[in-house]
Amino acid sequence: MEEVTQKLGEDSKFEGLGEPEKPASEALLMKPPTPVLKVEREGNCYCGKERNLNIIELLCASCNRWFHESCIGYQLGKLVPFMMNYIFFCKNCSPTGLESFKKNQAMFPQMCVTAIGNLTQASVKEGKPRTKFSKERDIIPFIDAHWEGMTTTSRRVTQSWHSTVLRCLMKETNVMFACEDTEEGPMYSLLNLELTQIKPNYDAMIRGGSL
């Protein structure tokens, strides 16, 4: 009887204790992994605000987000809105954590797109929307007034580039531009009137090895 009581006493020592604790290392192995949260950037610019077509904005070649000039810390120099001839990396995408910017030489088709884009947006801002513009009265004067901001090429001494603009507009009609003959002469507009689509062709730069 005493032996049975002793046996019951020994068994009662483990009653309600469950299984013995596992080593700490084993417990860590069995712990479910902490989920990794993927943070995706949404919207545009560091400020998170939408685009403003009335000011200069740059498109990052990596994240494809637009950044307002006033939010960029890099000293950009002279620029105009709707430029296509630059390479920009925001500080979030740059390996150094610093913004990088390079303005390239602009081709005349690019300069004409930039000019017409600005003329179109200016007319909207003034409350008198227009899409068609004269080479002599509108496009050439805009390029002449903003030459240094539009390209790295030195300003032409002669006006021979006026003829180059005309050849460009005619050659790229139905490709980049639309032309309508009016009583005031030929009037040119962008073939794609969506101004938000005016941007550097980074894909072409990558294929060409310049990016």
Side-chain angles (χ1 to χ4, degrees), residues 94-136:
S94 172
T96 63
L98 301 174
E99 296 158 340
S100 65
F101 172 79
K102 180 184 179 183
K103 181 167 68 174
N104 300 317
Q105 177 181 346
M107 302 294 102
F108 274 101
Q110 294 175 325
M111 296 178 77
C112 289
V113 169
T114 297
I116 296 176
N118 277 277
L119 291 166
T120 301
Q121 182 60 26
S123 71
V124 172
K125 186 177 180 180
E126 293 169 0
K128 301 177 181 179
R130 296 172 54 198
T131 57
K132 301 178 179 66
F133 301 92
S134 163
K135 172 183 73 74
E136 296 294 342

